Amino acid sequence: MIRDRVLTLLREVASGAIDPQRALDRLALDPVQSLPFATIDHHRALRQGYPEVVFGEGKTASQIVAITEELASRGDGFLVTRASEDSRAALRARFASVVLNDAARTAYLPGIEAPPAGSGTVLIVTAGTSDLPVAEEAAVTLGALGDHVQRLSDVGVAGIHRILGRATELAEASVVIVVAGMDGALPSVIGGLVACPVIAVPTSIGYGASFGGVAALLAVLNSCAAGVTVVNIDNGYGAAVAASRITHA
Amino acid sequence: MIRDRVLTLLREVASGAIDPQRALDRLALDPVQSLPFATIDHHRALRQGYPEVVFGEGKTASQIVAITEELASRGDGFLVTRASEDSRAALRARFASVVLNDAARTAYLPGIEAPPAGSGTVLIVTAGTSDLPVAEEAAVTLGALGDHVQRLSDVGVAGIHRILGRATELAEASVVIVVAGMDGALPSVIGGLVACPVIAVPTSIGYGASFGGVAALLAVLNSCAAGVTVVNIDNGYGAAVAASRITHA
Amino acid sequence: MIRDRVLTLLREVASGAIDPQRALDRLALDPVQSLPFATIDHHRALRQGYPEVVFGEGKTASQIVAITEELASRGDGFLVTRASEDSRAALRARFASVVLNDAARTAYLPGIEAPPAGSGTVLIVTAGTSDLPVAEEAAVTLGALGDHVQRLSDVGVAGIHRILGRATELAEASVVIVVAGMDGALPSVIGGLVACPVIAVPTSIGYGASFGGVAALLAVLNSCAAGVTVVNIDNGYGAAVAASRITHA
Amino acid sequence: MIRDRVLTLLREVASGAIDPQRALDRLALDPVQSLPFATIDHHRALRQGYPEVVFGEGKTASQIVAITEELASRGDGFLVTRASEDSRAALRARFASVVLNDAARTAYLPGIEAPPAGSGTVLIVTAGTSDLPVAEEAAVTLGALGDHVQRLSDVGVAGIHRILGRATELAEASVVIVVAGMDGALPSVIGGLVACPVIAVPTSIGYGASFGGVAALLAVLNSCAAGVTVVNIDNGYGAAVAASRITHA
Amino acid sequence: MIRDRVLTLLREVASGAIDPQRALDRLALDPVQSLPFATIDHHRALRQGYPEVVFGEGKTASQIVAITEELASRGDGFLVTRASEDSRAALRARFASVVLNDAARTAYLPGIEAPPAGSGTVLIVTAGTSDLPVAEEAAVTLGALGDHVQRLSDVGVAGIHRILGRATELAEASVVIVVAGMDGALPSVIGGLVACPVIAVPTSIGYGASFGGVAALLAVLNSCAAGVTVVNIDNGYGAAVAASRITHA
Amino acid sequence: MIRDRVLTLLREVASGAIDPQRALDRLALDPVQSLPFATIDHHRALRQGYPEVVFGEGKTASQIVAITEELASRGDGFLVTRASEDSRAALRARFASVVLNDAARTAYLPGIEAPPAGSGTVLIVTAGTSDLPVAEEAAVTLGALGDHVQRLSDVGVAGIHRILGRATELAEASVVIVVAGMDGALPSVIGGLVACPVIAVPTSIGYGASFGGVAALLAVLNSCAAGVTVVNIDNGYGAAVAASRITHA
Amino acid sequence: MIRDRVLTLLREVASGAIDPQRALDRLALDPVQSLPFATIDHHRALRQGYPEVVFGEGKTASQIVAITEELASRGDGFLVTRASEDSRAALRARFASVVLNDAARTAYLPGIEAPPAGSGTVLIVTAGTSDLPVAEEAAVTLGALGDHVQRLSDVGVAGIHRILGRATELAEASVVIVVAGMDGALPSVIGGLVACPVIAVPTSIGYGASFGGVAALLAVLNSCAAGVTVVNIDNGYGAAVAASRITHA
Amino acid sequence: MIRDRVLTLLREVASGAIDPQRALDRLALDPVQSLPFATIDHHRALRQGYPEVVFGEGKTASQIVAITEELASRGDGFLVTRASEDSRAALRARFASVVLNDAARTAYLPGIEAPPAGSGTVLIVTAGTSDLPVAEEAAVTLGALGDHVQRLSDVGVAGIHRILGRATELAEASVVIVVAGMDGALPSVIGGLVACPVIAVPTSIGYGASFGGVAALLAVLNSCAAGVTVVNIDNGYGAAVAASRITHA
């Protein structure tokens, strides 16, 4: 579209319908049209088949319905994260085929076009049951992005044999997302066991001096296993997108 | 220059020397050339007559001399901030007309063209003698930006009569920069006395629980006088640029 | 009034009705009367036509009604910020002509005299929809202070072309207020695109390690664009007053 | 009592009823009885006539009633601080003569014996109306400790003439308690105006980067007026006890 | 002087040499002259006989000598705190009668007039030998302010019998200054043993998670002994001034 | 079980039913089976007779009932900590013999086998009544782990004679757990009075700058009594397990 | 080797040289030998051709020489990071073919075997010249890991056109490492421009409230561009390993 | 001695040399003499044979020599921790038999009497070579306290097989001290592998967001292995004393 508009302008210049000086002014006044096409095209290509993502926190159910209706009417799917119980109920009422996940607090409506498939498997590892909602948010997001997901739950480091018993799954993953609260020790152990990319998601699980996940965040930032990267506390969505950037490269 | 290059391209299109499709590709591949002219031109206009600013911290004397030689050779002046004693000596040795300020740790070489004059007077107020180096950095920067500066020193709030005795200077300022460490109380008092813009610079002066200026920073962020804005701790340079944005509007 | 009282005293001295020593004692005992007239007069001049501002947080609806009734009875208008839903309803019930803004949580009753008009336009830029309430608070305040406001919404840096596409509005503003949560990156980009004063308002939008806006606050304090100033987290009101100090200079 | 018991023991030694070695063992096994009498007596003297203080936070209404019934049955009065609305209602129902203060969230029942009167007047200064509950807690506590209290309200530093107009009250105080939130600037100004002891109470008033009173706390710790001391955030009770230690010296 | 000047003005009004309106203008233009005499006089009275205090940190030896020469030439004494070894040597070389204290890092030259004597004794208690420099700063300051000082050293709470063995000194003090680093537990114990005012000085002694005295600062702010007040970390000077405000009331 | 499975495998090798190479592959593919038996056996031995512990925070009543039903059906007992009122009611309804503790928010069902008895007595010391819930959590946990518990309550350091009066109990304890909020001073005093292991539990009791127990946590980490160890804020359960590791050594 | 040893054991079992029970005991006593072969083998495969990495901080030159001599003698190469000037000189003296990088503070000796080549190009983007040392550490590490590196320097967001002008390089990268101090805004802008994995390295560049890189760290954790991951402050080495995990997947 | 003095007093009472009332006054005036004998005796018993410990940080070499000379002259041994190189050299020069440990920065002179032997072995585990100085401080202290020490070094969790390979040592320890910086993950893994008491020492090893050991400290406070206790950052001495309290119970 942008490309078309600039091409039209250039053709008008070529035909003499508009003189070069005025064409220059139009480009200058409306700079976004003359902007890096590569970037924008590439961006659009990237988005082909992906659902739009709506961050549900702080939005009312009716606001979310209004936004998603517009997306759905364009044939785009959507993924709502951090959707309250009310919002999920409202989306269920409005879109018969929406897929809700209560643990992950997500609502997902696939678009007309399927998302491009990611290569390999993204393994989501959690230390304790309290980390599961964040892991679920990652899993749902990965599904919506076309990735294949496998889960490894309840393998905290205080019982190290549980992790070691799952060497096969670990070795076969393309990317590992490690969701861990409290002491944030699990990503370091995993990071030392696998060669593939490891993305840590510290969670706000814990009490006392866990400071809402800061303890786990600092631990993973200081991981003694080199090459472990981190996303924000409880940000299962962000970890999924990061993983999907890898599997779609 | 950029404008010229795009104009040349458009003229080639107009003359048929290049066809519209290929012209489009050249714009697309080299996006910065086709970028918001308005912004860039405007930016350049803004910079007309201003010295380039070099942040001296963490650079060696010889690195700074190399950078400034290039600027000077273009006829541009320069302002080096946070220049170490060594760097200032090296600049003095290299540029006969450089103006050094030891308290402010600056070195200033005016450009060929004078900077556009700011309107009115920028008043720099300090609470104690320890705040003076930061105030000096602001004053030198303002001078280099074409602003007229007045100083009001040693008027801390523990002796409130000292501030009140300077009502005339306060009332006549276009902008007031308040440099204050320790309890950061001065900007609130000044903010209640004047109607003009007030920019607070918290300083790292203090000890114990001043935490390198954080106490003063938090105080000014929470100022009970509405409309006081803040820059980073010890950032006399930033306050000066902010003030100059106002006097050059 | 104060001026009148001191003048009366001086005339009594002149007429011999009171001797100088006793006149001195009266000045000394009642110091505020003898206080900086310039400052106070100037202050009053500044306030001419402005509504009184009531900070609504922590006050009950009935307390707010009581305060505003007194203001309204004097012919002064008022602006209530951080007004709860209850308070807004109570004000609506009491003052037929009050202007409520639910997003901004404000209630505004213009005074009899119009506020003096600010010069130019204050542009309020927001990154995401969650930043809008803070932007609205700024917009309502600016309106009450006599300023002309324009909005630029949903131009976060993750889609940089959206900002670049609005070069004209940016270039024409007298002051830009940038409201930004999460990574607080927008003020730096804007600060590099415009020459006018830029006031950043970090917002408490975000989760995990955003720490209620501290992440955005630190980012803007450390902005790589020189001359950006900052107000407290979510302080749309303070940014508006700061902008208005500039447009009314 | 303790004194009596040791004396009895010593008399038994004197009479030969118990031999010195065994007496030594009894002293050693039961050390508190042989403890610093001076300290304990002195302590008791100090408490003569003072009500017992019950910290109400985290206690249920029925727990508080149980504790205060025991105190009242001994003829001691009591002061309950941080009493919830429920607790205050329960105390009103149980003790006809209890004095409630809703702003201060206190309930006070005087003891049979009046507390010793403190010397002079304790002046409680507040910056804004939001600081009043903390000031009230201090005032009620001082009353219960036998002190004479005067108040100076709404004299924040953004309108410095309001403070200066109250020089007489300031000059006549024995101790000044300054209650201040937001920027915590008021104690510095007051500290420079008076020669008597100044006790600052930072309050949790404010928003954004006030961090529940930490901004004000840091400001007062770094006060540029020498000799200002500080108590914990919102600790009106503690400031009152500190002031009373001075007026009862 | 100020008083004299206003009196002269009033006499000129009385004599008709100046008319009331012009007298009013002169008062208004030069507001500090018409300022709260009570406050200023009272302030001066307070300062009678006190040495001026120079905060030595961040000042060079020659700067300090220059400042103190001016003070000494007026007949005023001085107290330099946080004086570096160089500064102390320079002051020794310049003023034969200056009293240096290496542990406290102070230099003291008494003024011509002796300071007014404080009532009673200020007891300075320290937990460990590392707290002594801060205690010394307090002691030297108190001496310069006319106070009688007694010391109680090395009585940390890990050996509680050492404190209890000093009940007499504790009971006889007018004010107790408790200097304590590490866990900051000593002020709570002392606060429970004495009835007089207790001022805590947290020190930066400690390692690991002592955070330069923050651990001790927080402990004393949260003291379970009511009525303990606090000054900034390592601020022996401030504690001394606070104590002296009490003993000179 | 694991041991049995490997033994079976080895016997198959011995009997020739499986060849060494294939046995190696099976060990390699399923590594946990071949894992440190010593550790696992030893671990199991450790657990013999201990109830399983379920952390109740963030789990619904029905989730907790489901988990505990499974444990009870295996003949294992359970201990639920941080159980909400709802959860405790649901457990009471489901398990007739469950022992609830409302203060500690625990529910305990003993297993069929009694836990091994710990040596000596674990003394739990608290400063104030607000610390009791955390102390109770420790006490209940210790009971479930087979330890003998004694309590020493309301012995805060502001009334030091209360602690000293309990020398006998202190001297006879095998381990002392000190539960302390506010200034966290008690563990230092206790640590200096006893020779046995001392475990400090900072609590979130306090207000203002107690920061949810951080003040107490820092105090105990910086304890001037050597050899005091610390667990997380409010972690009565963790302190109990640590103590039990000592008494079961 | 491990595999061999277990195989030997199993063969002894098969041959009857050792009975199954004793074989079990040997496996149990020496658990690491029976550990997850897959993991270990896979790990070794991963390391094939990689140099060993020595973290130089806190190690003396002679310690580093000793460690590297051992590595070199085995035919392994090495990479020393955070090597002081002394250490680099000592390594230069000892290993003729060592490659030093003063900006990156690294010393690199390739191993006999070349590292496996990574796919595509890792693009390292920096905002300012002060970020270059961290970028260099990443670049050197990537070279040692077999990756192809491209640099994009001095493209800070305050001059957004500089980034946009490099769309081609951005679009062609396999992974982008963004090194950014101060406001940490660059990763958000880059993250919105590219579809590939983006790894942010906050740097300790900045002053005042940058807190040694914490401002930038928080900004990148809260990036408004989804899927940006983060490593520790100044951790160029970690970012390189993370990128290499992606390019070697 | 104390005991003797009180016994003498009691005998004087018994003999009638002093009457009970006067004896009471003497006990009261000099309270420490009448203090908890049990505690003091018990304390002394505890100390029998232990060296006195001198914290060397912040003390000059000559101060340390003076203190230790006095100790040595009484026949007591001493342990100096955090002794600078100068101090160690001075002690070597003064005491021929002093045992220096450069890594631990300790100087140890055994007393005449040997310390009582602790039961079992204290195992000191470290993750990396940088943690060794802290581990050494613990080891030297334990030796001086009569404990038998074993070391397990370089077993960080990023190479989990290294820990698992040392199951025997872990299983045989009486107490395990785990010294760990960076992510502080090791204590959680160890805590899950052993049943005995585990004391974690976070170290200040790390960079970036390790904040001088705070990251590791928070991790261990939030350990997912129950019953792990913590001492201050880098406090090898404190961990040793805590361990010795256990082995000497």
Side-chain angles (χ1 to χ4, degrees), chain C:
Chain C
M1 197 166 80
I2 294 170
R3 202 176 167 85
D4 290 348
R5 195 158 58 186
V6 179
L7 186 56
T8 303
L9 180 73
L10 290 171
R11 281 179 178 149
E12 290 173 337
V13 173
S15 70
I18 184 168
D19 74 280
Q21 187 66 48
R22 277 196 53 214
L24 181 65
D25 288 348
R26 272 172 54 190
L27 281 172
L29 280 172
D30 188 9
V32 81
Q33 278 78 346
S34 60
L35 234 210
F37 309 143
T39 302
I40 289 178
D41 284 350
H42 152 82
H43 220 77
R44 180 167 301 142
L46 166 71
R47 292 229 165 101
Q48 208 68 11
Y50 285 151
E52 284 278 338
V53 179
V54 179
F55 183 63
E57 197 133 318
K59 298 203 179 74
T60 64
S62 57
Q63 285 176 322
I64 290 177
V65 168
I67 295 168
T68 52
E69 276 179 338
E70 194 187 313
L71 294 169
S73 71
R74 297 202 311 236
D76 293 346
F78 59 78
L79 170 63
V80 186
T81 62
R82 311 275 162 131
S84 67
E85 207 174 323
D86 279 3
S87 298
R88 296 198 302 271
L91 289 166
R92 155 72 71 227
R94 178 65 190 77
F95 302 101
S97 58
V98 77
V99 184
L100 302 183
N101 186 316
D102 287 351
R105 291 195 294 151
T106 54
Y108 170 49
L109 186 80
I112 291 169
E113 205 170 340
S119 61
T121 295
V122 178
L123 182 68
I124 304 177
V125 184
T126 47
T129 52
S130 316
D131 300 316
L132 287 177
V134 175
E136 277 303 295
E137 188 187 75
V140 168
T141 303
L142 282 164
L145 295 174
D147 280 289
H148 180 243
V149 172
Q150 200 169 349
R151 286 172 183 81
L152 204 52
S153 302
D154 203 23
V155 295
V157 303
I160 200 75
H161 57 282
R162 290 179 294 182
I163 303 162
L164 298 171
R166 309 302 288 272
T168 314
E169 285 97 323
L170 286 167
E172 288 173 355
S174 299
V175 182
V176 183
I177 292 174
V178 189
V179 183
M182 300 185 77
D183 52 17
L186 190 54
S188 292
V189 172
I190 301 287
L193 289 175
V194 302
C196 73
V198 175
I199 299 165
V201 192
T203 67
S204 54
I205 299 312
Y207 55 108
S210 72
F211 302 127
V214 169
L217 170 62
L218 293 182
V220 293
L221 282 170
N222 289 282
S223 175
C224 56
V228 172
T229 61
V230 185
V231 296
N232 203 348
I233 298 166
D234 288 341
N235 193 2
Y237 166 70
V241 175
S244 196
R245 283 180 179 239
I246 296 171
T247 61
H248 287 81

Side-chain angles (χ1 to χ4, degrees), chain F residues 111-130:
Chain F
I112 290 169
E113 204 171 341
S119 61
T121 295
V122 178
L123 181 68
I124 305 179
V125 183
T126 48
T129 51
S130 316

Side-chain angles (χ1 to χ4, degrees), chain D residues 23-231:
Chain D
L24 181 65
D25 289 348
R26 270 172 54 191
L27 281 172
L29 279 172
D30 189 8
V32 80
Q33 278 79 345
S34 60
L35 233 210
F37 308 145
T39 301
I40 290 178
D41 284 351
H42 151 83
H43 220 76
R44 180 166 301 141
L46 166 71
R47 293 230 164 101
Q48 208 69 11
Y50 286 153
E52 284 278 337
V53 180
V54 179
F55 184 62
E57 197 133 318
K59 299 204 179 73
T60 64
S62 56
Q63 286 175 320
I64 290 176
V65 168
I67 295 169
T68 52
E69 277 178 339
E70 194 187 314
L71 294 170
S73 71
R74 298 203 308 237
D76 293 345
F78 59 79
L79 171 63
V80 186
T81 63
R82 311 275 162 131
S84 67
E85 207 174 324
D86 278 3
S87 297
R88 294 198 303 271
L91 288 166
R92 153 74 70 227
R94 179 64 190 77
F95 303 101
S97 58
V98 76
V99 184
L100 302 183
N101 184 318
D102 287 351
R105 292 194 293 150
T106 54
Y108 171 47
L109 186 80
I112 290 169
E113 204 171 341
S119 61
T121 295
V122 178
L123 182 67
I124 304 178
V125 184
T126 48
T129 50
S130 316
D131 300 316
L132 286 177
V134 175
E136 277 303 296
E137 188 187 75
V140 168
T141 303
L142 281 165
L145 296 174
D147 279 290
H148 179 243
V149 172
Q150 199 169 350
R151 285 173 182 80
L152 204 53
S153 301
D154 202 24
V155 294
V157 302
I160 200 74
H161 56 283
R162 290 179 293 182
I163 302 161
L164 297 172
R166 309 302 287 272
T168 314
E169 285 97 324
L170 286 166
E172 288 174 355
S174 298
V175 181
V176 183
I177 293 175
V178 189
V179 183
M182 302 185 76
D183 52 18
L186 190 55
S188 293
V189 171
I190 302 287
L193 289 174
V194 303
C196 73
V198 175
I199 299 164
V201 192
T203 66
S204 56
I205 298 313
Y207 54 107
S210 73
F211 301 127
V214 169
L217 170 62
L218 292 182
V220 293
L221 281 171
N222 288 282
S223 176
C224 56
V228 172
T229 60
V230 186
V231 297

